[in-house]
Amino acid sequence: MSGGAEQYQVYQTSPEGDEKLLTQCMKWRDYALRKDRTVQFMFQSLARAGCTMPTERVWCEHCSPSLSGGYRPDGSVTLCSNNVFSQKHVAETMVHELIHAFDDCRAHIEWNNCEHLACSEVRAAALSGDCRFLNEIQRGNISIAGQFKRCVRRRAELSIKMSPACKASATVATVDKVFDACFKDTEPFERIP
């Protein structure tokens, strides 16, 4: 999920007992920053593109139930402590949100433009690991032929449906319009990881 804070609800205070989730999320975040090669690659790619993001701009908060994380155009990434469930999930969520940061850096995304948002969501779903085969099996989406592209399309549609900038009725058409070009754009990677 990307765009302004109005696109998703982040609670300023955590519910009672959420301290353990926040602590675990921060441990997973710190580990990903130190050890995950793809997370490190994204930070390096942002710097090469002229948009250094301090690691302190990635933090954990309690969020609404449907979100794992979010990117804000102020250059910050939120990880949703109540909705991330493993080290791998945190790393994939970080990469997803850092793809949005990279897109914002190189293309100056207009987050209220549904086509811009859809393109960034297609890229983030394709490049972050969201649609890896094992993730899809865990979601109950079991198919071999064409599963990856179907997943990327579905994940992009789900994300832009949450944006007030996009009409829910136009979600499929908007993703269809940008899909081919945005799916082929694998920057900063040489190919889909």
Side-chain angles (χ1 to χ4, degrees):
M1 186 69 200
S2 58
E6 71 281 353
Q7 290 184 344
Y8 62 94
Q9 185 175 5
V10 175
Y11 301 99
Q12 296 304 315
T13 57
S14 298
E16 195 69 32
D18 194 45
E19 198 61 37
K20 282 184 180 178
L21 294 175
L22 287 168
T23 300
Q24 182 62 62
C25 180
M26 291 300 286
K27 286 180 183 177
W28 286 334
R29 178 207 73 150
D30 292 346
Y31 184 86
L33 289 168
R34 283 190 326 271
K35 300 286 187 178
D36 189 278
R37 290 181 186 180
T38 309
V39 169
Q40 292 171 347
F41 173 78
M42 286 306 305
F43 274 96
Q44 293 162 1
S45 298
L46 280 163
R48 280 193 301 273
C51 296
T52 302
M53 177 188 279
T55 58
E56 297 80 31
R57 302 289 294 158
V58 179
W59 63 78
C60 296
E61 293 182 11
H62 186 88
C63 306
S64 59
S66 60
L67 298 170
S68 297
Y71 169 74
R72 294 183 182 148
D74 69 359
S76 63
V77 169
T78 299
L79 300 170
C80 297
S81 59
N82 54 315
N83 300 325
V84 291
F85 52 84
S86 69
Q87 175 64 57
K88 178 179 164 253
H89 189 208
V90 165
E92 287 177 356
T93 301
M94 287 174 70
V95 172
H96 181 109
E97 303 309 336
L98 292 168
I99 292 292
H100 294 315
F102 184 83
D103 287 350
D104 200 19
C105 175
R106 73 175 181 151
H108 306 289
I109 300 292
E110 294 176 30
W111 296 108
N112 290 322
N113 179 319
C114 197
E115 288 180 18
H116 286 199
L117 179 58
C119 185
S120 190
E121 290 296 350
V122 165
R123 286 176 31 74
L127 300 173
S128 67
D130 284 351
C131 291
R132 288 191 179 113
F133 188 68
L134 289 178
N135 289 348
E136 279 293 89
I137 288 174
Q138 289 174 335
R139 293 180 190 119
N141 298 316
I142 303 169
S143 177
I144 303 298
Q147 182 62 39
F148 184 76
K149 279 189 173 181
R150 274 196 304 280
C151 174
V152 170
R153 188 178 298 276
R154 186 183 72 253
R155 305 285 293 170
E157 290 169 2
L158 287 170
S159 288
I160 68 169
K161 275 183 187 176
M162 289 191 269
S163 171
C166 302
K167 294 180 183 174
S169 61
T171 298
V172 173
T174 303
V175 171
D176 284 346
K177 184 175 182 179
V178 303
F179 189 84
D180 289 336
C182 299
F183 184 81
K184 289 176 188 171
D185 179 3
T186 62
E187 286 293 326
F189 300 94
E190 291 180 18
R191 58 182 167 71
I192 294 174

XYZ file of all heavy atoms in Angstrom, residues 84-167:
665
model
N 2.129 -8.248 10.705
C 3.285 -8.969 10.160
C 3.525 -10.175 11.063
O 3.408 -10.084 12.270
C 4.537 -8.078 10.037
C 4.339 -7.023 8.957
C 4.909 -7.420 11.349
N 3.835 -11.316 10.453
C 3.838 -12.550 11.225
C 5.151 -13.314 11.194
O 5.257 -14.367 11.807
C 2.694 -13.466 10.774
C 2.662 -13.695 9.293
C 3.454 -14.665 8.711
C 1.855 -12.927 8.472
C 3.443 -14.878 7.347
C 1.829 -13.125 7.103
C 2.626 -14.113 6.541
N 6.159 -12.795 10.486
C 7.440 -13.504 10.448
C 8.529 -12.558 9.957
O 8.247 -11.495 9.407
C 7.372 -14.716 9.506
O 7.268 -14.292 8.158
N 9.766 -12.987 10.134
C 10.905 -12.236 9.628
C 10.790 -12.061 8.111
O 10.999 -10.972 7.570
C 12.211 -12.965 9.986
C 13.448 -12.317 9.408
C 13.667 -10.928 9.966
O 13.777 -10.760 11.173
N 13.706 -9.933 9.111
N 10.455 -13.129 7.424
C 10.319 -13.099 5.963
C 9.224 -12.116 5.535
O 9.399 -11.349 4.585
C 10.007 -14.507 5.458
C 9.805 -14.615 3.973
C 9.524 -16.084 3.599
C 8.956 -16.193 2.226
N 7.565 -16.518 2.158
N 8.117 -12.126 6.246
C 7.017 -11.224 5.917
C 7.434 -9.765 6.094
O 7.105 -8.908 5.260
C 5.796 -11.558 6.775
C 4.560 -10.837 6.378
N 3.564 -10.552 7.272
C 4.131 -10.351 5.188
C 2.587 -9.912 6.660
N 2.906 -9.775 5.388
N 8.163 -9.468 7.152
C 8.644 -8.099 7.371
C 9.582 -7.683 6.243
O 9.465 -6.579 5.687
C 9.331 -7.958 8.749
C 10.142 -6.674 8.847
C 8.282 -8.009 9.853
N 10.514 -8.554 5.869
C 11.452 -8.217 4.797
C 10.721 -7.988 3.470
O 11.002 -7.019 2.756
C 12.507 -9.309 4.653
N 9.779 -8.856 3.140
C 9.016 -8.682 1.891
C 8.191 -7.403 1.927
O 8.092 -6.694 0.918
C 8.114 -9.885 1.631
C 8.885 -11.114 1.186
C 8.012 -12.350 1.000
O 6.787 -12.295 1.282
O 8.560 -13.382 0.583
N 7.611 -7.093 3.071
C 6.836 -5.863 3.212
C 7.747 -4.651 3.061
O 7.392 -3.677 2.386
C 6.093 -5.837 4.565
O 5.224 -6.970 4.637
C 5.290 -4.567 4.741
N 8.927 -4.705 3.664
C 9.873 -3.597 3.520
C 10.242 -3.402 2.052
O 10.246 -2.263 1.553
C 11.121 -3.837 4.367
C 10.890 -3.652 5.842
S 12.318 -4.089 6.860
C 13.444 -2.773 6.467
N 10.539 -4.473 1.353
C 10.905 -4.360 -0.061
C 9.734 -3.780 -0.853
O 9.923 -2.885 -1.681
C 11.365 -5.714 -0.640
C 11.556 -5.642 -2.148
C 12.669 -6.156 0.039
N 8.537 -4.262 -0.587
C 7.352 -3.741 -1.275
C 7.257 -2.220 -1.105
O 7.108 -1.475 -2.085
C 6.095 -4.424 -0.717
C 4.820 -3.991 -1.360
N 4.106 -4.806 -2.193
C 4.124 -2.820 -1.285
C 3.019 -4.160 -2.616
N 3.019 -2.957 -2.063
N 7.371 -1.770 0.130
C 7.238 -0.334 0.403
C 8.434 0.456 -0.138
O 8.288 1.601 -0.575
C 7.031 -0.090 1.895
C 5.828 -0.808 2.493
C 4.500 -0.605 1.750
O 4.339 0.415 1.033
O 3.631 -1.486 1.875
N 9.613 -0.144 -0.139
C 10.793 0.530 -0.687
C 10.723 0.634 -2.207
O 11.305 1.560 -2.788
C 12.069 -0.166 -0.223
C 12.363 -0.026 1.274
C 13.484 -0.974 1.700
C 12.686 1.419 1.651
N 10.005 -0.275 -2.866
C 9.757 -0.127 -4.306
C 8.939 1.143 -4.531
O 9.213 1.930 -5.450
C 9.024 -1.361 -4.893
C 9.922 -2.596 -4.866
C 8.508 -1.082 -6.309
C 11.107 -2.570 -5.791
N 7.939 1.378 -3.684
C 7.169 2.629 -3.799
C 8.078 3.840 -3.594
O 7.962 4.836 -4.322
C 6.029 2.664 -2.791
C 4.967 1.645 -3.021
N 4.434 1.375 -4.262
C 4.326 0.823 -2.153
C 3.506 0.432 -4.147
N 3.429 0.075 -2.877
N 8.962 3.755 -2.619
C 9.894 4.864 -2.382
C 10.780 5.087 -3.604
O 11.025 6.233 -4.008
C 10.743 4.578 -1.142
N 11.249 4.001 -4.203
C 12.091 4.104 -5.400
C 11.299 4.732 -6.553
O 11.801 5.618 -7.252
C 12.617 2.718 -5.788
C 13.553 2.731 -6.949
C 14.902 3.025 -6.769
C 13.099 2.464 -8.228
C 15.776 3.048 -7.843
C 13.958 2.482 -9.318
C 15.301 2.771 -9.125
N 10.069 4.284 -6.742
C 9.233 4.861 -7.796
C 9.000 6.341 -7.556
O 9.046 7.155 -8.491
C 7.889 4.129 -7.875
C 8.011 2.737 -8.474
O 9.097 2.394 -9.007
O 7.019 1.981 -8.397
N 8.750 6.701 -6.311
C 8.544 8.105 -5.964
C 9.806 8.916 -6.252
O 9.736 10.024 -6.778
C 8.157 8.209 -4.484
C 7.470 9.511 -4.135
O 6.957 10.201 -5.038
O 7.426 9.837 -2.932
N 10.957 8.350 -5.966
C 12.230 9.026 -6.185
C 12.486 9.261 -7.665
O 12.795 10.366 -8.089
C 13.362 8.194 -5.580
S 15.015 8.845 -5.893
N 12.353 8.230 -8.467
C 12.745 8.352 -9.876
C 11.658 8.940 -10.763
O 11.953 9.531 -11.795
C 13.189 7.008 -10.428
C 12.058 6.042 -10.662
C 12.516 4.775 -11.327
N 11.339 3.924 -11.516
C 11.213 3.055 -12.467
N 12.190 2.869 -13.323
N 10.129 2.338 -12.577
N 10.393 8.785 -10.386
C 9.313 9.222 -11.269
C 8.413 10.284 -10.641
O 7.481 10.746 -11.282
C 8.465 8.018 -11.680
N 8.690 10.650 -9.402
C 7.883 11.658 -8.705
C 6.396 11.338 -8.846
O 5.627 12.084 -9.432
C 8.208 13.065 -9.201
C 9.668 13.363 -9.120
N 10.322 13.552 -7.930
C 10.611 13.455 -10.095
C 11.607 13.765 -8.166
N 11.810 13.708 -9.458
N 6.032 10.189 -8.291
C 4.675 9.666 -8.376
C 3.670 10.682 -7.840
O 3.885 11.291 -6.795
C 4.550 8.349 -7.570
C 5.492 7.283 -8.108
C 3.115 7.856 -7.532
C 5.163 6.767 -9.464
N 2.585 10.835 -8.567
C 1.439 11.593 -8.069
C 0.517 10.563 -7.418
O -0.185 9.829 -8.106
C 0.724 12.306 -9.218
C 1.557 13.387 -9.868
C 0.852 13.994 -11.071
O -0.402 14.032 -11.090
O 1.558 14.418 -11.982
N 0.529 10.498 -6.103
C -0.180 9.448 -5.380
C -1.688 9.575 -5.489
O -2.415 8.633 -5.172
C 0.286 9.392 -3.933
C 1.727 9.011 -3.848
C 2.776 9.811 -3.513
C 2.304 7.733 -4.159
N 3.957 9.117 -3.595
C 3.698 7.836 -3.989
C 1.774 6.518 -4.572
C 4.569 6.775 -4.199
C 2.642 5.448 -4.788
C 4.023 5.583 -4.600
N -2.181 10.704 -5.941
C -3.615 10.851 -6.173
C -3.998 10.520 -7.605
O -5.161 10.649 -7.978
C -4.075 12.267 -5.802
C -4.020 12.488 -4.310
O -4.327 11.585 -3.539
N -3.619 13.665 -3.898
N -3.036 10.094 -8.413
C -3.285 9.662 -9.786
C -3.382 8.138 -9.761
O -2.396 7.449 -9.498
C -2.145 10.137 -10.689
C -2.311 9.708 -12.122
O -2.709 8.586 -12.424
N -1.982 10.612 -13.028
N -4.552 7.628 -10.043
C -4.791 6.189 -9.903
C -3.877 5.365 -10.817
O -3.446 4.287 -10.427
C -6.254 5.891 -10.189
S -6.756 4.275 -9.583
N -3.568 5.850 -12.008
C -2.677 5.104 -12.898
C -1.256 5.048 -12.344
O -0.596 4.013 -12.425
C -2.687 5.699 -14.300
C -3.976 5.427 -15.034
C -3.999 6.006 -16.441
O -2.917 6.324 -16.990
O -5.109 6.132 -16.988
N -0.774 6.143 -11.775
C 0.549 6.142 -11.145
C 0.574 5.133 -9.997
O 1.517 4.345 -9.859
C 0.891 7.526 -10.599
C 1.232 8.528 -11.641
N 1.922 9.683 -11.342
C 0.996 8.573 -12.967
C 2.080 10.400 -12.444
N 1.518 9.745 -13.447
N -0.451 5.192 -9.171
C -0.543 4.290 -8.023
C -0.601 2.836 -8.488
O 0.111 1.973 -7.960
C -1.771 4.640 -7.191
C -2.068 3.794 -5.964
C -0.904 3.814 -4.986
C -3.335 4.292 -5.285
N -1.417 2.557 -9.502
C -1.547 1.193 -10.013
C -0.215 0.676 -10.539
O 0.165 -0.476 -10.283
C -2.616 1.135 -11.107
N 0.520 1.514 -11.255
C 1.813 1.094 -11.791
C 2.775 0.744 -10.664
O 3.443 -0.300 -10.700
C 2.395 2.186 -12.682
S 3.922 1.686 -13.512
N 2.839 1.585 -9.660
C 3.738 1.306 -8.545
C 3.316 0.049 -7.796
O 4.162 -0.735 -7.351
C 3.806 2.509 -7.598
O 4.845 2.344 -6.656
N 2.014 -0.183 -7.681
C 1.534 -1.402 -7.003
C 1.842 -2.652 -7.824
O 2.206 -3.684 -7.263
C 0.040 -1.310 -6.696
C -0.311 -0.315 -5.612
C 0.253 -0.645 -4.240
O 0.779 -1.754 -4.014
O 0.170 0.237 -3.366
N 1.729 -2.579 -9.147
C 2.106 -3.712 -10.001
C 3.576 -4.027 -9.791
O 3.969 -5.174 -9.585
C 1.806 -3.415 -11.493
C 2.519 -4.408 -12.415
C 0.302 -3.424 -11.750
N 4.417 -3.010 -9.838
C 5.859 -3.202 -9.666
C 6.182 -3.759 -8.281
O 6.982 -4.684 -8.150
C 6.593 -1.879 -9.899
C 6.659 -1.494 -11.356
C 7.307 -0.134 -11.598
N 8.338 0.240 -10.646
C 9.573 -0.280 -10.592
N 9.942 -1.207 -11.450
N 10.436 0.159 -9.695
N 5.549 -3.211 -7.254
C 5.835 -3.671 -5.890
C 5.409 -5.119 -5.692
O 6.131 -5.905 -5.073
C 5.154 -2.760 -4.872
N 4.262 -5.491 -6.235
C 3.808 -6.880 -6.106
C 4.734 -7.825 -6.857
O 5.048 -8.919 -6.377
C 2.374 -7.016 -6.616
N 5.205 -7.403 -8.025
C 6.058 -8.270 -8.840
C 7.466 -8.399 -8.272
O 8.077 -9.468 -8.353
C 6.135 -7.728 -10.271
N 8.003 -7.335 -7.693
C 9.423 -7.298 -7.325
C 9.710 -7.601 -5.862
O 10.857 -7.852 -5.501
C 10.000 -5.922 -7.679
C 9.921 -5.536 -9.155
C 10.368 -4.084 -9.350
C 10.746 -6.477 -10.010
N 8.700 -7.608 -5.015
C 8.942 -7.712 -3.570
C 8.929 -9.126 -3.024
O 9.372 -9.354 -1.906
C 7.882 -6.900 -2.820
O 6.607 -7.493 -2.995
N 8.402 -10.058 -3.771
C 8.232 -11.407 -3.243
C 6.803 -11.690 -2.827
O 6.480 -12.807 -2.423
N 5.920 -10.678 -2.915
C 4.509 -10.867 -2.560
C 3.905 -12.078 -3.261
O 3.066 -12.773 -2.696
C 3.668 -9.650 -2.982
C 3.829 -8.448 -2.099
O 4.457 -8.557 -1.037
O 3.306 -7.374 -2.476
N 4.306 -12.297 -4.499
C 3.654 -13.319 -5.320
C 4.495 -14.577 -5.524
O 4.253 -15.335 -6.471
C 3.251 -12.706 -6.666
S 1.912 -11.510 -6.470
N 5.433 -14.793 -4.637
C 6.179 -16.053 -4.718
C 5.217 -17.225 -4.561
O 4.205 -17.134 -3.870
C 7.260 -16.110 -3.644
C 8.406 -15.180 -3.939
C 9.585 -15.439 -3.021
N 10.669 -14.545 -3.368
C 11.108 -13.568 -2.594
N 10.599 -13.392 -1.388
N 12.087 -12.793 -2.998
N 5.574 -18.334 -5.190
C 4.698 -19.502 -5.241
C 4.262 -19.961 -3.845
O 3.083 -20.224 -3.613
C 5.391 -20.631 -6.010
C 4.506 -21.801 -6.276
C 3.434 -21.700 -7.150
C 4.732 -23.012 -5.649
C 2.601 -22.776 -7.398
C 3.905 -24.103 -5.888
C 2.845 -23.984 -6.769
N 5.190 -20.018 -2.898
C 4.826 -20.473 -1.547
C 3.870 -19.507 -0.861
O 2.982 -19.936 -0.119
C 6.077 -20.700 -0.699
C 6.920 -21.910 -1.079
C 8.163 -21.996 -0.205
C 6.110 -23.199 -0.975
N 4.034 -18.217 -1.097
C 3.087 -17.246 -0.538
C 1.690 -17.474 -1.095
O 0.693 -17.391 -0.374
C 3.537 -15.813 -0.823
C 4.753 -15.407 -0.039
O 5.168 -16.088 0.896
N 5.358 -14.297 -0.419
N 1.628 -17.752 -2.374
C 0.333 -17.992 -3.007
C -0.311 -19.281 -2.491
O -1.519 -19.322 -2.276
C 0.484 -18.047 -4.530
C 0.550 -16.679 -5.170
C -0.767 -15.934 -5.040
O -0.946 -15.238 -4.023
O -1.629 -16.052 -5.936
N 0.476 -20.305 -2.283
C -0.064 -21.544 -1.712
C -0.648 -21.267 -0.328
O -1.738 -21.728 0.002
C 1.013 -22.649 -1.659
C 1.313 -23.149 -3.072
C 0.576 -23.802 -0.762
C 2.460 -24.133 -3.152
N 0.072 -20.480 0.489
C -0.427 -20.149 1.829
C -1.732 -19.366 1.770
O -2.550 -19.455 2.674
C 0.624 -19.362 2.610
C 1.798 -20.207 3.025
C 2.912 -19.396 3.675
O 3.053 -18.205 3.441
N 3.706 -20.063 4.494
N -1.942 -18.600 0.707
C -3.188 -17.844 0.536
C -4.297 -18.698 -0.065
O -5.422 -18.227 -0.229
C -2.948 -16.635 -0.381
C -2.049 -15.589 0.195
C -1.878 -14.429 -0.795
N -0.846 -13.543 -0.341
C 0.278 -13.263 -1.001
N 0.499 -13.789 -2.200
N 1.170 -12.465 -0.491
N -3.952 -19.925 -0.455
C -4.941 -20.809 -1.065
C -5.117 -20.610 -2.551
O -6.094 -21.058 -3.142
N -4.177 -19.932 -3.174
C -4.232 -19.686 -4.615
C -3.281 -20.651 -5.301
O -2.116 -20.343 -5.529
C -3.835 -18.240 -4.927
C -4.793 -17.255 -4.300
O -5.991 -17.440 -4.357
N -4.257 -16.219 -3.680
N -3.801 -21.808 -5.626
C -2.954 -22.866 -6.163
C -3.264 -23.061 -7.645
O -4.355 -23.497 -8.016
C -3.159 -24.185 -5.398
C -2.869 -23.955 -3.917
C -2.277 -25.284 -5.972
C -3.270 -25.092 -3.024
N -2.310 -22.699 -8.463
C -2.395 -22.875 -9.902
C -0.970 -22.742 -10.425
O -0.165 -22.014 -9.854
C -3.289 -21.805 -10.515
O -3.318 -21.933 -11.908
N -0.666 -23.417 -11.474
C 0.697 -23.355 -11.992
C 0.794 -22.338 -13.124
O 1.510 -21.361 -13.034
C 1.172 -24.753 -12.467
C 1.076 -25.777 -11.340
C 2.587 -24.685 -13.011
C 1.924 -25.509 -10.126
N 0.059 -22.558 -14.169
C 0.172 -21.721 -15.362
C -0.361 -20.318 -15.102
O -1.516 -20.135 -14.719
C -0.585 -22.365 -16.518
N 0.499 -19.320 -15.266
C 0.086 -17.936 -15.170
C -0.185 -17.417 -13.778
O -0.674 -16.303 -13.616
N 0.138 -18.192 -12.754
C -0.199 -17.798 -11.387
C 0.505 -16.505 -10.965
O -0.091 -15.659 -10.311
C 0.139 -18.918 -10.402
C -0.214 -18.608 -8.961
C -1.701 -18.387 -8.771
O -2.529 -19.074 -9.362
N -2.062 -17.423 -7.954
N 1.768 -16.356 -11.344
C 2.520 -15.175 -10.895
C 1.866 -13.888 -11.398
O 1.612 -12.964 -10.620
C 3.978 -15.267 -11.356
C 4.824 -14.137 -10.856
C 5.257 -14.103 -9.550
C 5.173 -13.093 -11.698
C 6.032 -13.047 -9.068
C 5.944 -12.035 -11.241
C 6.372 -12.014 -9.921
N 1.568 -13.812 -12.677
C 0.953 -12.593 -13.221
C -0.440 -12.357 -12.639
O -0.816 -11.217 -12.371
C 0.882 -12.649 -14.745
C 2.179 -12.282 -15.422
C 1.986 -12.137 -16.920
C 3.250 -11.601 -17.561
N 3.076 -11.427 -19.019
N -1.200 -13.442 -12.445
C -2.525 -13.288 -11.833
C -2.399 -12.723 -10.422
O -3.179 -11.871 -10.006
C -3.277 -14.618 -11.805
C -4.047 -14.915 -13.071
C -5.077 -16.021 -12.888
N -4.529 -17.269 -12.391
C -3.892 -18.166 -13.139
N -3.707 -17.956 -14.419
N -3.439 -19.282 -12.599
N -1.412 -13.200 -9.689
C -1.188 -12.703 -8.333
C -0.814 -11.224 -8.354
O -1.353 -10.434 -7.590
C -0.085 -13.515 -7.646
S 0.385 -12.856 -6.026
N 0.119 -10.857 -9.218
C 0.549 -9.446 -9.301
C -0.652 -8.559 -9.600
O -0.859 -7.524 -8.958
C 1.659 -9.273 -10.360
C 1.933 -7.796 -10.630
C 2.938 -9.982 -9.913
N -1.442 -8.971 -10.557
C -2.638 -8.201 -10.931
C -3.606 -8.097 -9.749
O -4.089 -7.018 -9.412
C -3.301 -8.891 -12.125
C -4.426 -8.126 -12.756
C -4.984 -8.890 -13.954
N -4.008 -9.076 -15.003
C -3.727 -8.186 -15.954
N -4.356 -7.037 -15.966
N -2.830 -8.450 -16.880
N -3.884 -9.226 -9.087
C -4.814 -9.256 -7.957
C -4.319 -8.381 -6.807
O -5.085 -7.602 -6.222
C -5.023 -10.699 -7.484
C -6.085 -10.846 -6.395
C -6.230 -12.281 -5.892
N -5.077 -12.660 -5.086
C -4.115 -13.490 -5.464
N -4.158 -14.074 -6.635
N -3.102 -13.760 -4.670
N -3.029 -8.492 -6.480
C -2.471 -7.712 -5.364
C -2.513 -6.210 -5.670
O -2.797 -5.395 -4.792
C -1.051 -8.158 -5.040
C -0.871 -9.646 -4.757
C -1.346 -10.108 -3.440
N -0.528 -9.546 -2.386
C -0.841 -9.633 -1.106
N -1.922 -10.274 -0.734
N -0.063 -9.117 -0.197
N -2.226 -5.843 -6.921
C -2.297 -4.431 -7.307
C -3.735 -3.922 -7.199
O -3.981 -2.820 -6.693
C -1.753 -4.236 -8.714
N -4.677 -4.719 -7.672
C -6.085 -4.323 -7.586
C -6.524 -4.148 -6.136
O -7.207 -3.172 -5.793
C -6.971 -5.362 -8.284
C -6.820 -5.359 -9.792
C -7.481 -6.545 -10.476
O -8.119 -7.382 -9.781
O -7.354 -6.649 -11.717
N -6.135 -5.079 -5.275
C -6.502 -4.970 -3.857
C -5.941 -3.697 -3.233
O -6.628 -3.021 -2.462
C -5.985 -6.191 -3.082
C -6.709 -7.504 -3.321
C -5.929 -8.663 -2.687
C -8.128 -7.447 -2.772
N -4.704 -3.376 -3.566
C -4.076 -2.189 -2.984
C -4.740 -0.906 -3.466
O -5.018 -0.016 -2.659
C -2.583 -2.157 -3.318
O -1.902 -3.130 -2.587
N -4.989 -0.795 -4.763
C -5.555 0.481 -5.226
C -7.019 0.640 -4.843
O -7.498 1.768 -4.752
C -5.308 0.746 -6.728
C -6.074 -0.201 -7.619
C -3.825 0.740 -7.037
C -6.035 0.222 -9.083
N -7.708 -0.461 -4.570
C -9.088 -0.354 -4.077
C -9.143 0.389 -2.749
O -10.155 0.997 -2.414
C -9.708 -1.743 -3.898
C -10.318 -2.306 -5.137
C -10.972 -3.644 -4.845
C -11.431 -4.284 -6.134
N -11.979 -5.624 -5.910
N -8.076 0.322 -1.979
C -8.051 0.986 -0.672
C -7.781 2.483 -0.784
O -7.882 3.203 0.195
C -6.997 0.343 0.223
C -7.374 -1.033 0.695
S -6.278 -1.628 1.987
C -5.053 -2.478 1.008
N -7.428 2.951 -1.970
C -7.076 4.353 -2.138
C -8.291 5.196 -2.484
O -9.030 4.869 -3.412
C -6.043 4.501 -3.253
O -5.856 5.875 -3.549
N -8.480 6.313 -1.778
C -9.581 7.212 -2.147
C -9.359 7.855 -3.521
O -10.295 8.370 -4.116
C -9.581 8.265 -1.045
C -8.363 8.069 -0.249
C -7.757 6.747 -0.604
N -8.137 7.786 -4.047
C -7.849 8.364 -5.362
C -8.408 7.513 -6.491
O -8.510 7.978 -7.620
C -6.339 8.531 -5.541
N -8.754 6.282 -6.203
C -9.189 5.352 -7.248
C -10.629 4.921 -7.015
O -11.002 4.550 -5.911
C -8.291 4.116 -7.254
S -6.556 4.484 -7.498
N -11.413 4.955 -8.078
C -12.787 4.469 -7.997
C -12.757 2.950 -8.007
O -12.140 2.337 -8.878
C -13.600 4.975 -9.181
C -13.803 6.462 -9.183
C -14.607 6.879 -10.391
C -14.731 8.390 -10.426
N -15.388 8.843 -11.650
